[in-house]
Amino acid sequence: MTGPNGAGKTTLLRVLAGDLRPDTGTARRPARTGYLAQELSAAPPRRSLLAAFAAGLPGPPEEHAPVLLSLGLFREDDLAVPVTALSVGQRRRLELARLVTRPADLLVLDDPTNHISLGLVEELEQAVAAYRGAVVVVSHDRRFRRGFRGRTLELDGGRAVREGAAASR
């Protein structure tokens, strides 16, 4: 999904993710939806990186360290660092780690390439291409959009102004 700032992209994604109720009508979505918001939380949790990653999962946080470390996004030394002390890029990587390790039938990604390195963008592109569920992505990143192989929708003023066919490989 593309369009100028203020076109309604983030609002539509928030409705799809269940984070916002539609003004009218209804939105149906699968029970398992993974949502990556455009902006990071203004008040990061006051717990460690590992505790924040493991939040909502069964068992103690230490049980989830191998999974987090296997993603290659963090070093073992990072696990005890409070989330409040992480850089914006590290906090974004934490959100991506939580997203890719929880089952979802629908991924809703709002500008997923914000605050991450080019190498991680490339890995994200591969993960999105390999994902078997539905994916809805908003991105201003031209390179990321060129590689996306799904249908496109352009919004302006809260309305769809152009829809594109699925890209071919």
Side-chain angles (χ1 to χ4, degrees):
M1 191 178 330
T2 64
N5 289 338
K9 302 176 304 293
T10 293
T11 300
L12 178 56
L13 289 190
R14 290 183 62 204
V15 168
L16 290 174
D19 190 46
L20 183 68
R21 295 182 63 151
D23 291 338
T24 61
T26 58
R28 291 187 347 201
R29 64 192 147 276
R32 300 182 314 172
T33 300
Y35 175 48
L36 183 68
Q38 180 179 19
E39 297 298 326
L40 296 169
S41 168
R46 295 189 178 274
R47 57 186 129 186
S48 71
L49 168 65
L50 181 57
F53 171 76
L57 297 174
E62 296 74 29
E63 287 181 10
H64 304 285
V67 172
L68 178 56
L69 291 172
S70 74
L71 299 173
L73 300 173
F74 297 100
R75 301 177 324 244
E76 192 166 354
D77 293 347
D78 297 328
L79 299 182
V81 174
V83 174
T84 55
L86 297 176
S87 70
V88 172
Q90 288 171 314
R91 288 177 47 209
R92 189 66 164 183
R93 290 196 310 262
L94 170 60
E95 289 183 349
L96 286 168
R98 288 182 50 84
L99 183 72
V100 301
T101 57
R102 271 90 172 151
D105 301 308
L106 169 65
L107 291 180
V108 178
L109 310 175
D110 196 350
D111 261 333
T113 61
N114 283 358
H115 311 296
I116 61 174
S117 68
L118 179 58
L120 189 51
V121 169
E122 291 171 352
E123 290 178 24
L124 178 64
E125 289 171 340
Q126 293 170 0
V128 168
Y131 184 70
R132 295 190 182 270
V135 180
V136 179
V137 180
V138 164
S139 182
H140 291 283
D141 182 330
R142 289 185 181 118
R143 185 182 168 283
F144 183 81
R145 287 193 330 238
R146 274 194 307 271
F148 191 73
R149 299 294 177 216
R151 298 187 60 79
T152 61
L153 177 67
E154 183 179 344
L155 294 183
D156 197 1
R159 300 200 184 305
V161 293
R162 186 174 313 137
E163 187 175 340
S168 61
R169 283 208 176 244

